[in-house]
Amino acid sequence: MNLLTFDIEEWFLHREPEKHFEYDRYLNAILNKLDEQKLNATFFCVGEMGRLFPEVIRKIRAQGHEIGCHSNIHTWLNKMTEAECREDTHRAMDSLEQCIGVKVKSYRAPAFSIGENNKWVFEILAENGIVRDASVFPAARDFGGFPNFGQKTPCIVQYNGIRLKEFPICTAKLLGKEMAYSGGGYFRFFPLDFVEKEMKKSPYSMCYFHIGDLAPESYGVMSKEAYEVYFKEKGTMKARYIRFIKSNLGKKNAFQKMMRLLDDNSFVNVFQADQEIEWDKVPVVTI
């Protein structure tokens, strides 16, 4: 079972009109490819997209794809207090549901920012009617991760009396370290043959893409002010150049690589996977 997901925030994060034209062009190409291949994806969208760019959300929905929630303004959840996260999630869900007219039931945290120190997020998701989460990165990473989660396949998360269906990111062991391979900068870095080989090793894989990761146009080095506002940490020259390298590595051929992946493999979205899985037979992870 291969899951196909996209994280949609670029229109909101980058307000330049010429950037929106670029994002529209790539989104249209993706939607046309999915239609051609008869594939359904889950598009995790930030809530403000529903207010500022509802036409983008409705276009995705009109072509039969699931709309999931990706927070309200793409602030990482491990940078929020519990009260801030509760308000952010409520606003995001309201915005998206008002935009598309149906209940949103799937969620992904920005940068997979649910971990040991903010497990209370699962309660907030349940309060807002989320039943499917795809936020767990079950390994250590720059942004934290959840290395003690213990599962790399669909499972039930149990916390403080609530239960959610969890679709974690899949990882592979490379040089003694667990690493993702099927999305984001990892997909740009690894050869397509390696990605497909790893996908075939497991009955479950999760691909996740950002349009900004796929477009060959490069991002510049962030200003110190912009870095500190977005990442909520010191914007040293070293930190900003590391982010510049990571954001642009492998972008030149990433879009065509993803298109070949879609040509050669079958996928379902998170909703479809939920329908196929026998949930009474999956592990329960109590956190």
Side-chain angles (χ1 to χ4, degrees):
M1 176 187 294
N2 300 322
L3 276 67
L4 181 62
T5 65
F6 293 86
D7 295 349
I8 302 295
E9 68 258 5
E10 283 84 1
W11 287 258
F12 169 70
L13 294 179
H14 306 287
R15 303 300 179 87
E16 305 90 337
E18 62 274 14
K19 282 288 186 184
H20 294 172
F21 175 78
E22 172 192 325
Y23 299 144
D24 287 339
R25 181 160 54 90
Y26 284 106
L27 176 61
N28 288 339
I30 290 168
L31 293 175
N32 288 340
K33 172 62 75 172
L34 297 179
D35 186 57
E36 173 189 316
Q37 298 296 111
K38 295 181 171 52
L39 298 176
N40 292 106
T42 295
F43 288 76
F44 292 102
C45 307
V46 296
E48 284 298 307
M49 289 284 296
R51 295 186 177 91
L52 300 176
F53 306 100
E55 69 281 359
V56 175
I57 307 298
R58 290 172 183 151
K59 178 192 297 184
I60 295 168
R61 174 69 181 170
Q63 293 201 214
H65 304 292
E66 181 188 17
I67 300 296
C69 182
H70 194 40
S71 83
N72 192 48
I73 57 172
H74 208 260
T75 298
W76 299 352
L77 305 191
N78 57 4
K79 305 287 186 179
M80 292 185 185
T81 65
E82 190 169 345
E84 289 170 338
C85 182
R86 181 167 277 105
E87 174 63 18
D88 180 272
T89 306
H90 175 75
R91 283 184 58 81
M93 295 288 285
D94 180 68
S95 174
L96 294 173
E97 290 170 358
Q98 291 286 340
C99 181
I100 62 175
V102 297
K103 179 64 186 167
V104 172
K105 295 187 177 181
S106 296
Y107 185 91
R108 170 173 289 151
F112 308 102
S113 51
I114 300 178
E116 290 285 353
N117 296 326
N118 62 345
K119 296 180 287 190
W120 40 260
V121 172
F122 289 116
E123 288 184 284
I124 294 174
L125 298 184
E127 288 170 9
N128 283 274
I130 293 295
V131 297
R132 299 178 289 266
D133 180 64
S135 302
V136 170
F137 191 102
R141 67 193 301 252
D142 289 349
F143 308 140
F146 209 141
N148 298 320
F149 188 74
Q151 290 293 329
K152 298 194 291 184
T153 57
C155 57
I156 299 290
V157 172
Q158 185 168 269
Y159 177 73
N160 261 11
I162 63 98
R163 290 163 67 96
L164 288 178
K165 298 169 182 175
E166 181 62 42
F167 295 85
I169 295 303
C170 46
T171 62
K173 197 156 195 174
L174 300 169
L175 301 176
K177 182 180 179 181
E178 290 289 337
M179 296 181 66
Y181 57 86
S182 57
Y186 304 98
F187 179 80
R188 289 187 276 112
F189 176 75
F190 290 117
L192 182 58
D193 287 348
F194 172 81
V195 173
E196 293 185 316
K197 180 180 177 182
E198 290 299 319
M199 287 172 62
K200 288 178 171 62
K201 285 182 180 179
S202 171
Y204 165 81
S205 70
M206 168 79 76
C207 291
Y208 60 98
F209 300 105
H210 298 79
I211 288 178
D213 281 333
L214 300 169
E217 293 80 2
S218 296
Y219 293 122
V221 178
M222 295 179 75
S223 69
K224 183 174 185 293
E225 180 183 14
Y227 184 96
E228 291 180 349
V229 167
Y230 185 71
F231 291 104
K232 299 188 182 304
E233 60 187 32
K234 285 190 175 181
T236 64
M237 184 68 73
K238 178 182 177 182
R240 289 185 287 131
Y241 268 91
I242 289 174
R243 179 53 45 197
F244 168 77
I245 292 169
K246 287 184 175 181
S247 297
N248 291 290
L249 183 69
K251 287 190 70 176
K252 183 177 180 181
N253 300 311
F255 187 77
Q256 292 307 319
K257 186 195 294 188
M258 184 203 68
M259 290 300 216
R260 294 200 303 274
L261 183 77
L262 299 182
D263 279 331
D264 298 338
N265 298 274
S266 61
F267 290 92
V268 296
N269 64 21
V270 176
F271 168 77
Q272 291 169 321
D274 181 5
Q275 305 304 299
E276 293 182 21
I277 292 169
E278 297 181 76
W279 288 101
D280 59 337
K281 297 181 180 179
V282 305
V284 175
V285 179
T286 302
I287 57 174

